[in-house]
Amino acid sequence: LTGRFSFLEQKPYPFALYYEHLNPSVSLEVADRFLQTSTKVGANASLLQPLSPVSFNLDAFRQESEGKGLGVVQNDTNDQATLRAYRAIGDSGYGQFVYQANHRESRSGSPNLPIQMSTNDNHEITFDSRHLYGDQRQFNLTQLTSYSTQDYVIAGTPFTSYRDFRFSPGLRWEHDPDRNSFYRYNLFTSSQGIQETRNQSATAGLTQRWEQRLTATGDIHTENNQTTGMDQISHGIAGSLNYRRPLSFGQLQLSGGLRYDDRDRVAVVDQIAVIGERITLPDAIAVALASDFIIVSTVVVSNLGRTQTYVLNVDYELVVIGSITSVRRLIGGAILDGQEVLVDYSYQTGGSFHYTAQDLSLEANLSIKRHYDVYAGYRNAPQRLVSGLPTIPLNSVRNTHYGARAGLPVSDFVEVGGEARHDRQQEDIAPFRRDSYDAYVQFPVPRIRNATLRMSGRRVIADNIGSP
């Protein structure tokens, strides 16, 4: 049952009341489907021009969701209010302010584990704008500023709070149809309990095109990342070339990139904590975490509402290859296929040291009659220690890969395809050889319009040389 009552729609101050009572069928896995009950009650009001020089819109609602399946129990209440203010600036710009407050109470989780109640209060303020300047509108200035807070209470006990601020202005200058320059700055600060983070980066660069075939880009960049106990400063330059050439039977594309960075790290602590890294766990595929040299004993995996903490080697396993730690869901555990989770962990800082990093990459791709691609690539990324005594090894990498892919229509409705790829990576920490093969067939479902069925398979053979 849905209903919406709208009032004064032709006036510059319309408002509406709405109600939704839905019972969608939610599919979790092949054998698990349950009926969810969702009730939403809300109101929407606006104040528009010409009564107000700035357009305002306020939307507030309460939503309650309940349901139970073989792999999940859902019991959530969500109160949310959003205020938007928008104003056009001239004929080529705008400014927009958004404030959102959200209060969520959750008792959702797997019936196979204890479920504890959690509440989450989130507040976010965002201002973004865009302006075009110049007699030919050649200057495009954009900026995004945001501030957000997040507070968890789990089973009556406050959890680590978040306070995040971001400021990201950017300028693009169209010198002529084939040349433009860009200038970007990003500031991000975050407070998580006693841990403070401040990241700053700046980039200035130029892009040049020649007859839609050759494109060159170059930039200079600098970055300063500070976290309680560690400071990292990096300066460098980067450049790339991209060449495309149409052929009678397809298209040839060649590209290359070169980057050089000078990096200095000063650490006064042995490890840094990461709280709430979000990853998605599809099938039984291992998903790598963002940081290297993670201390495995510190890894904790929980659901998004933090109502449950999953069990190692029952719901998931950790795969460590070289400096990379990955999380893989276990079939039959409490983590559902494709579920998004939060991961808390600590990683090694590596001590204080100064080093340089280079990165050269070359790629070639030949497209044949739109249905076939043959490609090859090479990457050489050496790292050189300048000073200091790192407690983690540097990792110089050299990679070569090649392969082919195809997507071939057998008829107007049936398509078959696949890909075969070979990788060989030589590196200091965990060299490997890997062959992967993918295949699929896609065809329409009989007697059902606008529906197709896709069946696919994948096989990977990896030899992680010298790694446990």
Side-chain angles (χ1 to χ4, degrees), residues 12 14 18 40 43-49 52-61 80-88 94-101 124-128 144:
Y18 56 88
K40 185 176 182 180
N44 185 285
S46 298
L47 186 62
L48 309 174
Q49 295 178 340
S52 170
V54 178
S55 297
F56 292 95
N57 178 265
L58 173 64
D59 186 79
F61 65 84
Q80 181 172 300
T82 304
L83 174 65
R84 299 178 184 273
Y86 176 90
R87 177 179 172 85
Y94 72 87
Q96 179 175 245
F97 167 88
V98 179
Y99 169 71
Q100 185 174 91
E124 184 171 8
I125 301 173
T126 303
F127 177 74
D128 67 282
L144 172 67

Side-chain angles (χ1 to χ4, degrees), residues 190-452:
S190 178
S191 173
Q192 298 180 5
I194 62 173
Q195 183 168 299
E196 303 285 341
T197 298
R198 182 183 178 89
N199 297 338
Q200 294 185 84
S201 64
T203 303
L206 180 70
T207 298
Q208 174 71 51
R209 292 177 292 273
W210 292 274
E211 298 181 354
Q212 303 299 318
R213 288 193 176 184
L214 181 63
T215 302
T217 300
D219 71 64
I220 57 174
H221 52 266
T222 183
E223 189 171 357
N224 185 2
N225 296 331
Q226 297 174 320
T227 301
T228 301
M230 185 171 67
D231 189 3
Q232 301 181 87
I233 300 175
S234 175
H235 310 284
I237 59 174
S240 64
L241 283 172
N242 188 288
Y243 175 74
R244 297 187 180 188
R245 181 178 179 84
L247 304 172
S248 59
F249 55 87
Q251 178 176 267
L252 175 65
Q253 180 172 333
L254 304 173
S255 61
L258 180 62
R259 181 184 177 105
Y260 175 84
D261 288 288
D262 186 274
R263 300 171 179 169
D264 194 6
R265 175 184 297 190
V266 177
V268 296
V269 295
D270 295 330
Q271 60 189 49
I272 298 290
V274 174
I275 302 174
E277 181 176 321
R278 297 175 69 145
I279 62 173
T280 300
L281 300 178
D283 298 322
I285 298 174
V287 178
L289 296 172
S291 304
D292 290 342
F293 300 104
I294 290 173
I295 302 170
V296 175
S297 60
T298 65
V299 175
V300 177
V301 181
S302 60
N303 62 358
L304 290 184
R306 292 195 180 275
T307 60
Q308 289 185 322
T309 300
Y310 298 115
V311 181
L312 177 64
N313 296 327
V314 175
D315 304 315
Y316 69 94
E317 68 176 355
L318 298 177
V319 180
V320 182
I321 298 178
S323 62
I324 299 174
T325 300
S326 302
V327 181
R328 173 160 50 207
R329 67 176 286 267
L330 294 176
I331 304 251
I335 302 175
L336 302 175
D337 181 13
Q339 181 177 333
E340 193 172 13
V341 299
L342 300 177
V343 185
D344 306 328
Y345 60 85
S346 296
Y347 65 91
Q348 301 178 59
T349 60
S352 300
F353 57 98
H354 181 196
Y355 71 105
T356 61
Q358 303 176 47
D359 199 329
L360 169 67
S361 61
L362 302 172
E363 295 282 342
N365 186 91
L366 178 62
S367 299
I368 304 172
K369 297 186 180 299
R370 297 187 305 164
H371 304 308
Y372 307 95
D373 286 280
V374 179
Y375 58 87
Y378 171 79
R379 180 185 177 215
N380 186 21
Q383 297 182 346
R384 185 176 67 87
L385 181 65
V386 177
S387 62
L389 296 172
T391 58
I392 57 175
L394 299 182
N395 193 30
S396 297
V397 174
R398 181 175 296 174
N399 176 279
T400 56
H401 63 267
Y402 54 84
R405 67 175 69 93
L408 182 64
V410 178
S411 65
D412 292 338
F413 306 103
V414 179
E415 180 179 322
V416 297
E419 180 178 3
R421 175 180 171 127
H422 173 78
D423 282 85
R424 179 178 177 84
Q425 180 153 311
Q426 299 170 290
E427 61 173 82
D428 296 332
I429 297 177
F432 65 85
R433 291 188 297 267
R434 181 174 59 217
D435 294 293
S436 61
Y437 306 92
D438 294 84
Y440 72 89
V441 57
Q442 182 170 300
F443 50 86
V445 178
R447 299 182 181 180
I448 302 179
R449 296 183 59 185
N450 302 322
T452 59

Side-chain angles (χ1 to χ4, degrees), residues 19-22 37-41 61-66 78:
Y19 172 84
E20 296 179 355
H21 183 83
L22 307 176
T37 299
S38 175
T39 303
K40 185 176 182 180
V41 180
F61 65 84
R62 162 168 280 204
Q63 184 172 18
E64 298 178 346
S65 301
E66 293 184 350
N78 187 29

Side-chain angles (χ1 to χ4, degrees), residues 103-142:
H103 175 79
R104 178 185 291 270
E105 296 181 359
S106 179
R107 300 175 183 85
S108 299
S110 168
N112 302 318
L113 290 174
I115 300 177
Q116 54 190 0
M117 178 179 173
S118 74
T119 62
N120 177 19
D121 287 283
N122 181 271
H123 298 266
E124 184 171 8
I125 301 173
T126 303
F127 177 74
D128 67 282
S129 62
R130 177 176 179 265
H131 302 277
L132 294 179
Y133 298 104
D135 54 352
Q136 298 180 347
R137 299 291 192 265
Q138 68 269 32
F139 297 101
N140 184 356
L141 176 63
T142 61

